[in-house]
Amino acid sequence: MQLVYPEHRPTSPEELASGLRLHELAPSDRPYLGLNMVSSLDGKATLNWRTKGLSTEVDRRLFHHLRTQADAVMVGAGTAREERYGRMTKNDELRDKRVGEGRSPEALAVVVSGRLDLPRDLPLLNEAEQAVLIATGVEHSLVDTHPGIEYARVGDDLPRLMAELRERGVRSVLCEGGPTLNSFLFAAGLVDELFLTMNPKVVGGAAALTIVAGRELVEPVELDLVSVAEAEGELFTRWRVRK
């Protein structure tokens, strides 16, 4: 892997996702929020409804190391179901990295599910070591899941969710989509950064969503380029939302 901007030198996924100190950028009323997405060259977020066809081994390494840089990892219910989400911090090496950078060993999992439409056999809901906060608009709770699962009854009020996370001590969040959740976060002005891996494929068609779906934003969001790295034709970009 080569870093090509803002300088040219060898790098690695592990280096790109180390020492980012995102928590230091948090406003007083909410956590700092970055999106981490992968797309084809025509902007599609999935291939055959999964990210697997777009994510390479290098991208997966970056994916897991980026998780070490945030207090919490957020995901929409649809993405959690399709990708069969499990424990957010996968191994002891990643847990040690989190601790070494001043974070808890495990990232808090935040699942946004308006209707609480989550299968009970979802691995994430059955990991005893994994703290899970489900943001939902319904009053009932899931049954037959481990007792560490908590609920934020915030409906579709994402600013309220972010404020509640800040009150819980969460100062940085990494959101992994999906595209519909991304659109609501952008519309609410809650996105601070975008980590975007561009896979050298063109998918085409109208079925697969782009990385930001839903209604057109009232105003386009402008971003400034922070860095670009390349590995075997795949581009790993980081952007910061212009305030």
Side-chain angles (χ1 to χ4, degrees):
M1 174 182 272
Q2 293 287 321
L3 186 68
V4 297
Y5 180 84
E7 57 183 310
H8 199 291
R9 61 174 174 80
T11 187
S12 67
E14 292 78 9
E15 181 188 20
L16 286 178
S18 294
L20 299 186
R21 307 179 74 86
L22 302 179
H23 63 283
E24 294 183 357
L25 303 173
S28 61
D29 59 343
R30 66 170 179 85
Y32 191 82
L33 187 140
L35 297 183
N36 183 29
M37 298 295 292
V38 61
S39 81
S40 62
L41 291 181
D42 53 333
K44 301 299 185 181
T46 60
L47 180 60
N48 297 324
W49 303 106
R50 299 285 300 276
T51 59
K52 184 177 180 180
L54 296 175
S55 182
T56 63
E57 187 271 336
V58 174
D59 179 58
R60 286 189 290 274
R61 282 165 57 193
L62 180 60
F63 175 89
H64 286 296
H65 279 270
L66 277 175
R67 284 180 169 184
T68 69
Q69 301 301 292
D71 297 327
V73 177
M74 179 185 292
V75 64
T79 298
R81 289 192 302 267
E82 290 296 327
E83 304 289 345
R84 298 292 296 169
Y85 263 54
R87 193 170 178 177
M88 291 299 185
T89 311
K90 296 296 184 184
N91 56 47
D92 288 339
E93 174 193 355
L94 296 170
R95 283 185 275 276
D96 289 344
K97 181 176 180 177
R98 290 182 58 85
V99 172
E101 294 196 23
R103 279 173 286 282
S104 63
E106 303 283 348
L108 172 68
V110 180
V111 182
V112 180
S113 178
R115 301 186 305 275
L116 207 57
D117 186 15
L118 294 166
R120 282 178 288 182
D121 65 346
L122 186 69
L124 179 65
L125 303 178
N126 295 280
E127 293 277 2
E129 302 298 320
Q130 176 66 67
V132 180
L133 178 69
I134 302 178
T136 184
V138 301
E139 293 301 321
H140 66 273
S141 301
L142 297 171
V143 297
D144 298 330
T145 56
H146 77 79
I149 296 175
E150 297 183 84
Y151 297 86
R153 312 287 182 177
V154 296
D156 59 0
D157 191 339
L158 291 175
R160 182 180 165 195
L161 170 62
M162 294 290 281
E164 182 166 326
L165 288 172
R166 190 70 172 84
E167 291 171 0
R168 289 170 173 260
V170 174
R171 296 176 63 191
S172 54
V173 175
L174 185 70
C175 180
E176 298 173 350
T180 301
L181 176 57
N182 292 348
S183 72
F184 286 120
L185 290 168
F186 270 115
L190 297 172
V191 179
D192 299 296
E193 289 204 16
L194 171 64
F195 299 91
L196 177 61
T197 296
M198 300 176 68
N199 184 287
K201 290 184 176 74
V202 172
V203 175
L209 298 176
T210 59
I211 65 167
V212 181
R215 291 180 294 181
E216 184 176 344
L217 298 174
V218 175
E219 292 288 342
V221 177
E222 297 187 22
L223 299 91
D224 294 315
L225 183 62
V226 176
S227 65
V228 182
E230 182 273 336
E232 298 183 355
E234 192 169 29
L235 297 180
F236 305 88
T237 68
R238 180 184 178 189
W239 306 80
R240 186 164 291 139
V241 172
R242 187 179 301 168
K243 300 298 184 183

